[in-house]
Amino acid sequence: MFDDNKAQFYVVMNGEEQYSIWPAGQEVPAGWRVVGEPATRQESLDSIDKLWTDMRPLSLRQRLDG
């Protein structure tokens, strides 16, 4: 399912601002929210590359920042 290049996916983000893809039409797991519109797998992965510029979880970034 996740390797289907013709399927549509959502970019999803959790409370720690970590990103993933999730099949469009499937219920998004608890703790995750949709970011943007459905797109192909590659388009979704490309979006994540642009959005997820700091791989550290939000709680760690906040702790280190102060």
Side-chain angles (χ1 to χ4, degrees), residues 2 19 26 43-44 52 54-55 58-61 63:
F2 283 91
Y19 291 85
Q26 299 280 331
E43 290 168 336
S44 297
W52 201 1
D54 190 337
M55 300 296 281
L58 177 62
S59 58
L60 176 61
R61 293 192 319 260
R63 189 172 48 228

Side-chain angles (χ1 to χ4, degrees), residues 3-63:
D3 59 353
D4 183 352
N5 289 324
K6 295 181 182 178
Q8 294 285 296
F9 293 89
Y10 288 118
V11 173
V12 293
M13 181 178 72
N14 67 18
E16 287 286 345
E17 296 185 357
Q18 297 167 312
Y19 291 85
S20 188
I21 60 172
W22 194 255
Q26 299 280 331
E27 185 175 345
V28 176
W32 294 83
R33 66 179 178 88
V34 173
V35 179
E37 300 296 320
T40 66
R41 179 180 182 276
Q42 189 58 56
E43 290 168 336
S44 297
L45 294 173
D46 291 345
S47 292
I48 290 173
D49 283 342
K50 293 175 186 169
L51 292 168
W52 201 1
T53 58
D54 190 337
M55 300 296 281
R56 299 173 299 165
L58 177 62
S59 58
L60 176 61
R61 293 192 319 260
Q62 289 172 335
R63 189 172 48 228

